[in-house]
Amino acid sequence: MSLFLTLLQDTPATEAAKVLEQVNGDMGMLWMLIAGILVFLMQAGFTLVESGMTRSKNAVNIAMKNLLDICVGSITFWLVGYSLMYGDTSNGWFFWSGLFQGEGADLFFQTMFAATTATIVSGAIAGRTKYSTYIIFSLVMTAIIYPISGGWEWNGGWLNDTEGIMPAEFIDFAGSSIVHSVGGWAALVAAFMVGPRIGKFVNGKVFEIPGHNQILATLGVFILWFGWFGFNGGSQLAWGGTDATAASNVVLITNLAAAAGGLGALITTWIWYGKPNLAQTLNGTLAGLVSITAGCGNMTSGGAVLAGLIGGILVVFSIEFIEKKLKIDDAIGAASVHGVAGAWGTLVIGLWGVDGDTAIGLFNGGGAAQLGAQAIGVLAYAAWAVGLSFIVLAILKATMGLRVSEQVELDGLDISEHGSIAYPGKRVREIDEDK
């Protein structure tokens, strides 16, 4: 490095500027590649979380769905998704520049986001959904639903139209709404339309169907937490100089919010249930991550901790509400973790967000314009995800059907849908009936 600096000092100013620009460009591309690889690893995290929080007889099915998402997402986003998201537009709503657009680090990084959006739906409908139907929905999600809505913000679409209906420029740095809320609201619609698992709701009562391995789920959350550093940090889309500082701060902010989210859920369940609950604490940690994904470039450290803390508290109440009041069986709480926390993470920018040293939030002196813009974006993404998901799933329900038969569900999807099981061999569990 010292040799490089010496050579740079001996180079004319214009040439030195070009060399520095080239180095920063190369470093930026390398950072995006590394970040994309970290986001790819999140598929493993989702697999462990979803399988660990559901029944062992469906673990292979969960694994197959997560593997499908990255396979389908990689092909469809390369084929049409990137163009629908980053293509040309005349109206800011729909985009297109032809098939097979995008290249290199940019296409790879963006593809990982598309696959993540589809994966969110997987866990919510675990244990009772046809694999063939899920294939079609994953394809539509990665090829159409996610890409079109992504262009509204990340390709200078209508949400950036400050001279039109928007009171300020909508902000979603890494996708609290674009990725997580879109996936979360789609998961809620899917869980509603597929219906609850057998034994979940009986005579108006809600019965817990515990996951088979909370240790796997915990490991999955740690992997997701690790991958999120690439998810958020890579969304800086550059490295070098001020970009390196900004990306580093994004990673720090992300970690703080995740920790606060876990503590928020832990404390809430300790007070509410009488004991700290692991499954809810895991969801709280993920909710903290989702809560900061939109604002990780527009939040102070203190603001990030508060946003994550509230997100971790909200997710506990949301899971209880969706399950016990709406009677919707979301097997892993995906709609709450990604949909509700995603909406909160988008709105909080309008409450105490910053733009550098400038306050843009309602509570820190920035006025109400940013909050208005964030609210419009939240509603737009919710309406798009709910509306399109309902249409697609209704068509699939009328044609292919959404749900497996009662006997297949009772036997487990692993055997019926895939002809294998996750844990072969005889297993005996001794239970002391006197305890």
Side-chain angles (χ1 to χ4, degrees), residues 124-136:
I125 55 176
R128 73 269 201 201
T129 309
K130 288 183 177 180
Y131 189 68
S132 56
T133 302
Y134 182 78
I135 292 174
I136 304 300

Side-chain angles (χ1 to χ4, degrees), residues 354-367:
V354 296
D355 183 6
D357 295 328
T358 304
I360 59 174
L362 179 65
F363 295 158
N364 59 352

Side-chain angles (χ1 to χ4, degrees), residues 73-82 85 107 110-111 114 142 146-147:
S74 294
I75 300 299
T76 59
F77 197 75
W78 165 64
L79 178 64
V80 296
Y82 188 93
M85 191 165 178
L107 175 59
Q110 300 299 340
T111 296
T142 54
Y146 164 72

Side-chain angles (χ1 to χ4, degrees), residues 83-96:
S83 186
L84 284 170
M85 191 165 178
Y86 291 105
D88 299 328
T89 182
S90 59
N91 52 33
W93 288 86
F94 299 102
F95 311 81
W96 185 252

Side-chain angles (χ1 to χ4, degrees), residues 299-328:
M299 200 70 61
T300 64
S301 297
V305 170
L306 186 57
L309 181 70
I310 294 175
I313 296 171
L314 277 176
V315 79
V316 176
F317 288 96
S318 176
I319 289 172
E320 292 280 336
F321 178 78
I322 289 173
E323 182 177 275
K324 296 181 178 178
K325 298 299 182 181
L326 299 183
K327 294 295 192 294
I328 296 176

Side-chain angles (χ1 to χ4, degrees), residues 161-409:
D161 182 17
T162 55
E163 297 179 358
I165 63 172
M166 298 298 292
E169 183 175 336
F170 176 73
I171 297 173
D172 191 348
F173 187 87
S176 282
S177 279
I178 297 169
V179 177
H180 294 282
S181 270
V182 167
W185 300 135
L188 184 65
V189 172
F192 169 73
M193 294 190 69
V194 173
R197 289 165 290 176
I198 295 172
K200 182 63 180 178
F201 304 119
V202 180
N203 297 326
K205 295 182 179 180
V206 181
F207 290 88
E208 183 182 2
I209 303 178
H212 81 281
N213 195 324
Q214 293 196 70
I215 305 306
L216 279 185
T218 303
L219 178 59
V221 168
F222 275 117
I223 292 174
L224 286 170
W225 192 338
F226 177 70
W228 229 289
F229 297 143
F231 198 99
N232 287 359
S235 294
Q236 182 69 27
L237 304 180
W239 189 273
T242 56
D243 284 316
T245 302
S248 300
N249 193 57
V250 164
V251 172
L252 171 65
I253 291 292
T254 299
N255 188 61
L256 289 172
L263 289 175
L266 186 156
I267 294 169
T268 302
T269 57
W270 205 334
I271 295 172
W272 193 352
Y273 304 156
K275 295 181 180 180
N277 182 274
L278 176 58
Q280 290 281 36
T281 301
L282 294 176
N283 277 329
T285 303
L286 295 179
L289 287 161
V290 174
S291 296
I292 200 58
T293 297
C296 54
N298 297 89
M299 200 70 61
T300 64
S301 297
V305 170
L306 186 57
L309 181 70
I310 294 175
I313 296 171
L314 277 176
V315 79
V316 176
F317 288 96
S318 176
I319 289 172
E320 292 280 336
F321 178 78
I322 289 173
E323 182 177 275
K324 296 181 178 178
K325 298 299 182 181
L326 299 183
K327 294 295 192 294
I328 296 176
D329 181 16
D330 180 347
I332 66 168
S336 298
V337 170
H338 300 278
V340 173
W344 159 247
T346 308
L347 290 172
V348 73
I349 298 172
L351 296 178
W352 54 76
V354 296
D355 183 6
D357 295 328
T358 304
I360 59 174
L362 179 65
F363 295 158
N364 59 352
Q370 191 64 54
L371 181 60
Q374 299 306 109
I376 291 172
V378 165
L379 292 174
Y381 282 113
W384 173 259
V386 169
L388 266 291
S389 297
F390 182 84
I391 292 171
V392 173
L393 289 168
I395 294 172
L396 291 174
K397 185 174 184 177
T399 54
M400 302 172 61
L402 299 178
R403 192 177 182 122
V404 299
S405 68
E406 180 178 348
Q407 190 59 52
V408 167
E409 182 176 347

